[in-house]
Amino acid sequence: MFVRRIAVVGTGYVGLTTGACLASLGHRVVCADVDTLKVARLRAGQVDILEPGLTELVTEGQAAGRLEFVEGARAAVADAEVVFLCLPTPMGLGGAADLSAVESVARDLREVLPYGTVVVCKSTVPVGTSTRVADLVGREDVAVVSNPEFLREGSAVRDFLHPDRIVVGSDSPQAAERVAALFAKLGAPTVLMDAASAEMVKYAANCFLAMKLSYVNAIAELCELVGADVSAVTDGMGHDRRIGQSFLRPGPGWGGSCLPKDTHAMVRIAESVGVDFDLVRSTIDTNRRQQRRVVDKVRDAVGGTLAGARIGILGLAFKAGTNDLRDSPALAVAELLAFEGAELVAHDPEIGRPLVGMTVVDDAYLAVRDADAVVLLTEWPEFRALDWGRVADLMSGVVVLDTRNHLDADALHRAGLALRGLGRRQPAAAG
């Protein structure tokens, strides 16, 4: 494999994982960020992102001289052959992706990119962005390639080094092949296509996953009403190879840094060409309804009103294995509970900072003390291992709402607690 000189602009989840993993494959990588403090911490080997294996890759890459960190994009691209743009594209007004960071960097690098550089859009961007970046760079010698990422928080390093596929899109086949070659050592299926198709792949995949999650949450609601058990239903479904087991677990709604913004962006993309994408709109609406449904269950658990009720919250991150609060369904549910007057005391193994509308404590048993009800919102293994007899002694009430169907029903039953899940046929009664 040829060793390439690579610049990565942006050191968030995608950028830092991309840089560290490419360095582990033998390439020479310079990662850039505008945050002076973050650059200093990364140079010292301090990784603030909770991501298994990432700190080790950063340390190993620096020790081997293949990975370095600099402040500012211009400093990173001085002798780069390939430049990855791993910049935030948050949801803007009306749900469209905000491309201001991508466009700003493209303009800034126009005059300093080495001759023949390939610019790679790694960020999730709407169809046509590669063309837009090429126009902003405005140089015939610089090709722009789309290489969408498919990294899951909590397993990003593994996903990068063991991908299902690598998608590379460009209107220049030579540039696409040059980028694809960077990943040759991984031995993964590589799908080459035009830039517009590559940009659409990421949105199409994420919207499909969001639809699958909303679907199973709707099935869970239906199971409760007809006396079925969602765990049995999804087990039966998941053995169908056309469906599979993944993304078939009900929860308090989906969130994180990708699905919310990507579903809204897809709706806007469709609108821009005169298509009303009702299926994705319904997916978003179902997700919002799921959060309200969880609140309804908590309200019912404390007697019909949340005003003045003390609620213990277990889990704040949008999923276990991360410290990411972006669009966390746990926070959405907590906000609705607080709006109705509930007093919230929360614990998450990786979230210690204060949050508006609740008290955050550093111990799960402090969160459940004197609680009229306890709500599990993130499926951390630590919560399954709690001493539920002790929890029962500390609580004022007896209901534990498990929105992830994560807890051991027998353990809670023995403790005298009433476990209520999502889509379960029959909640365990308190002893």
Side-chain angles (χ1 to χ4, degrees), residues 132-401:
R132 172 65 174 157
V133 170
D135 290 341
L136 291 171
V137 172
R139 286 175 44 181
E140 292 185 0
D141 64 297
V142 175
V144 179
V145 172
S146 174
N147 173 223
E149 52 85 15
F150 302 98
L151 307 179
R152 298 167 297 169
E153 291 186 35
S155 59
V157 170
R158 177 173 176 78
D159 290 344
F160 191 101
L161 297 177
H162 304 278
D164 295 323
R165 78 293 200 192
I166 295 167
V167 174
V168 182
S170 178
D171 298 331
S172 166
Q174 295 83 3
E177 291 172 2
R178 188 172 167 188
V179 171
L182 300 176
F183 308 101
K185 192 173 181 180
L186 299 178
T190 300
V191 187
L192 300 179
M193 59 189 69
D194 60 277
S197 296
E199 290 164 341
M200 180 58 80
V201 166
K202 179 62 183 294
Y203 283 111
N206 274 359
C207 287
F208 183 85
L209 295 176
M211 285 189 289
K212 197 172 181 182
L213 288 169
S214 283
Y215 179 79
V216 78
N217 280 334
I219 290 294
E221 181 179 9
L222 190 57
C223 284
E224 293 174 12
L225 296 173
V226 302
D229 189 312
V230 72
S231 295
V233 172
T234 55
D235 184 43
M237 292 171 59
H239 284 288
D240 188 327
R241 289 189 298 270
R242 298 169 300 175
I243 298 174
Q245 297 281 357
S246 64
F247 285 74
L248 280 184
R249 294 188 64 181
W254 41 264
S257 62
C258 293
L259 297 189
K261 73 181 183 66
D262 290 355
T263 48
H264 282 88
M266 179 68 102
V267 170
R268 288 298 304 271
I269 292 169
E271 287 177 344
S272 70
V273 292
V275 174
D276 189 355
F277 210 151
D278 286 339
L279 194 57
V280 178
R281 288 184 185 276
S282 295
T283 296
I284 296 169
D285 292 341
T286 298
N287 194 50
R288 293 188 183 122
R289 186 163 63 88
Q290 182 70 0
Q291 295 162 1
R292 294 193 295 269
R293 199 166 80 88
V294 169
V295 173
D296 292 342
K297 287 179 172 291
V298 180
R299 189 189 307 109
D300 178 67
V302 297
T305 179
L306 286 163
R310 184 180 176 94
I311 307 298
I313 301 290
L314 298 179
L316 295 169
F318 89 94
K319 71 173 184 176
T322 80
N323 56 359
D324 196 344
L325 293 174
R326 287 177 291 180
D327 277 303
S328 170
L331 291 188
V333 169
E335 183 178 349
L336 292 171
L337 292 171
F339 180 78
E340 293 195 28
E343 176 189 354
L344 307 181
V345 184
H347 171 69
D348 187 288
E350 294 296 334
I351 308 296
R353 61 186 182 274
L355 295 172
V356 175
M358 71 185 76
T359 301
V360 179
V361 295
D362 60 5
D363 186 281
Y365 296 108
L366 292 177
V368 304
R369 183 186 296 274
D370 298 325
D372 296 303
V374 169
V375 187
L376 183 144
L377 292 168
T378 310
E379 69 282 21
W380 288 102
E382 292 92 327
F383 297 148
R384 188 175 172 87
L386 289 174
D387 180 343
W388 288 99
R390 182 181 175 189
V391 171
D393 291 339
L394 289 169
M395 287 180 62
S396 173
V398 296
V399 175
V400 175
L401 176 60

